[in-house]
Amino acid sequence: MTWQQRYESSLMNTFGTPKLLLARGEGCHVWDSDGREYVDFLGGIAVNSLGHAHPAVVAAVTTQLQTLGHVSNLFTSEPQIALAERLLALLGADGRVFVSNSGAEANEAAFKLTRRTGRTHVVAAEGGFHGRTMGALALTSKAAYREPFEPLPGTVTFVPYGDAAALAAAVTDETAAVLLEPVQGEAGVRVPPDGYLSAARRVCDDHGALLWLDEVQTGIGRTGTWFAHQLASGQGVTPDIMTLAKGLGGGFPIGVTIGVGATGALFEPGNHGTTFGGNPVACAAALAVLETIEKDGLLDSASALGKTLRDGLPDPRVVEIRGEGLMIGLELSVDAPRTVSAALDQGFVINATGPSTIRLLPPLVLTDADATALIDAWPRILDAAERSS
Ligand SMILES: *Cc1c(COP(=O)(O)O)cnc(C)c1O
């Protein structure tokens, strides 16, 4: 039996059959079960912030697991407290942290936190993606994801992303929270206009609503700043709630919900919980990621390499290039899924978020040589995609 047959007869068909069985990774490179090498411009969907098998993550996880692997939240551990302190310091705010295992869980906790305001209405953005649990799905606009599972909890108003006036019109004194991604990821890397998040902050303040920023994909250096709300769209903005996950653990599952100021005190004992969340191994992995980003100057390098890619990938078949740092979206005049297949054939892992949209989310440890390799191969990849259609 091939691995595809084994996969199809043993795993639920939620993802379709994967394109490759990957066997090994190192830095920005992965190898499949036939020993073929690929440069990874997806990084496990913005998760492998330090690439694959980074020595700092391997050492942190190994040492922690050998020392203390799990304690439940009836107890705590030094890595859990140190991580919470470190994240609050990076955000530059007082507050409280809840640690879970994924982006959806981080948002689920945040959604419950907003209920503790006594209000239930949430305003979220069209094209936004917040995860697949019932709560996170209720806040996600895409009909194809939602409709098979309705009714979903809550009263949610969706507004066009990037339109401050539409947002202002939707928020009332009954609104518990406004939920936004600082750059939309699953929508194909949509960067809002400068000042959009600052406008959202003002609207929330006017109505006593919480500003909740989902930085699950954008956070932890992805856009060249620790958090994407520190870019021009939200300079000076501090959210009331921020959720993190993907890149934080460097490949180890972790999710984080931060409540800033009084918002962090809205949960009382018994309001929420988790068995695995905050376990010392995941927290040690996250601490190693944060330390390495700082020590190796990966924020600056994400900005610089992002510019290299955005400058190097224009082509007559590229209609638009969007993005910040190493979060890049390309609108093509050729079929994006065929472009993904052509790229794989030529040794590059890239991603399509739609029929004409390519997304790149390489590890922050991307090298100049790897960026140049994609730029050099790009016209040939587009040629092959065109020929195959
Ligand atoms: C991926 C993602 C999520 C969901 O994270 P999971 O770990 O898949 O549950 C939530 N919000 C955003 C912005 C994401 O990109």
Side-chain angles (χ1 to χ4, degrees):
M1 266 210 285
T2 64
W3 66 261
Q4 286 92 341
Q5 290 166 327
R6 287 171 53 216
Y7 182 97
E8 283 162 11
S9 57
S10 64
L11 284 140
M12 286 196 192
N13 189 23
T14 45
F15 304 102
T17 304
K19 288 177 183 296
L20 298 175
L21 188 157
L22 291 174
R24 187 167 72 82
E26 197 181 314
C28 292
H29 295 231
V30 288
W31 286 261
D32 70 12
S33 44
D34 297 325
R36 274 205 68 196
E37 183 176 350
Y38 304 83
V39 190
D40 183 4
F41 278 84
L42 183 56
I45 316 186
V47 165
N48 298 304
S49 41
L50 303 187
H52 301 270
H54 192 286
V57 177
V58 172
V61 166
T62 308
T63 306
Q64 188 58 50
L65 193 54
Q66 282 168 340
T67 309
L68 185 67
H70 174 82
V71 294
S72 90
N73 283 292
L74 301 178
F75 306 96
T76 188
S77 63
E78 181 55 34
Q80 185 185 35
I81 299 174
L83 178 63
E85 290 172 342
R86 187 83 178 83
L87 289 172
L88 289 168
L90 289 176
L91 182 59
D94 287 334
R96 303 283 191 86
V97 174
F98 181 85
V99 191
S100 57
N101 310 285
S102 69
E105 274 183 75
N107 284 330
E108 201 69 32
F111 195 11
K112 286 179 69 179
L113 195 64
T114 69
R115 289 291 172 96
R116 300 287 300 150
T117 62
R119 303 181 184 183
T120 59
H121 179 231
V122 178
V123 177
E126 289 170 8
F129 180 83
H130 304 291
R132 303 297 200 130
T133 58
M134 293 299 242
L137 198 53
L139 305 161
T140 294
S141 76
K142 193 170 174 173
Y145 292 171
R146 301 168 58 85
E147 280 169 2
F149 303 102
E150 287 174 341
L152 294 165
T155 317
V156 185
T157 304
F158 293 104
V159 294
Y161 185 69
D163 181 342
L167 185 65
V171 178
T172 73
D173 291 346
E174 306 295 310
T175 304
V178 169
L179 166 59
L180 297 168
E181 291 162 85
V183 176
Q184 284 190 329
E186 299 305 300
V189 187
R190 307 274 166 188
V191 182
D194 290 0
Y196 177 60
L197 297 179
S198 316
R201 175 73 274 175
R202 282 194 298 277
V203 170
C204 287
D205 291 343
D206 288 348
H207 294 281
L210 301 174
L211 178 62
W212 166 9
L213 298 182
D214 179 345
E215 295 244 20
V216 165
Q217 187 164 154
T218 53
I220 315 300
R222 173 60 42 196
T223 63
T225 48
W226 279 110
F227 309 114
H229 71 264
Q230 295 164 336
L231 295 165
S233 60
Q235 230 134 58
V237 165
T238 302
D240 300 300
I241 303 177
M242 181 171 75
T243 45
L244 298 168
K246 292 195 165 91
L248 177 59
F252 214 87
I254 188 167
V256 159
T257 307
I258 301 179
V260 172
T263 305
L266 287 173
F267 275 157
E268 293 166 5
N271 280 164
H272 198 53
T274 167
T275 300
F276 288 121
N279 84 78
V281 182
C283 294
L287 283 166
V289 167
L290 298 177
E291 193 180 300
T292 304
I293 290 175
E294 187 156 61
K295 183 168 67 62
D296 293 353
L298 296 181
L299 299 181
D300 288 346
S301 131
S303 301
L305 284 164
K307 185 172 183 317
T308 302
L309 286 167
R310 286 195 305 277
D311 288 347
L313 293 173
D315 180 281
R317 294 155 292 188
V318 175
V319 178
E320 190 186 20
I321 303 190
R322 303 180 287 265
E324 296 278 3
L326 289 174
M327 183 172 185
I328 296 173
L330 300 114
E331 214 58 52
L332 305 183
S333 62
V334 298
D335 183 77
R338 286 178 199 276
T339 306
V340 169
S341 298
L344 269 187
D345 289 344
Q346 298 188 37
F348 297 91
V349 177
I350 64 173
N351 172 242
T353 59
S356 61
T357 311
I358 293 292
R359 175 177 54 170
L360 306 178
L361 298 164
L364 307 182
V365 295
L366 185 73
T367 61
D368 252 316
D370 285 332
T372 306
L374 179 66
I375 290 168
D376 290 347
W378 187 231
R380 291 196 303 278
I381 291 169
L382 293 171
D383 288 347
E386 255 178 342
R387 275 200 307 276
S388 69
S389 54

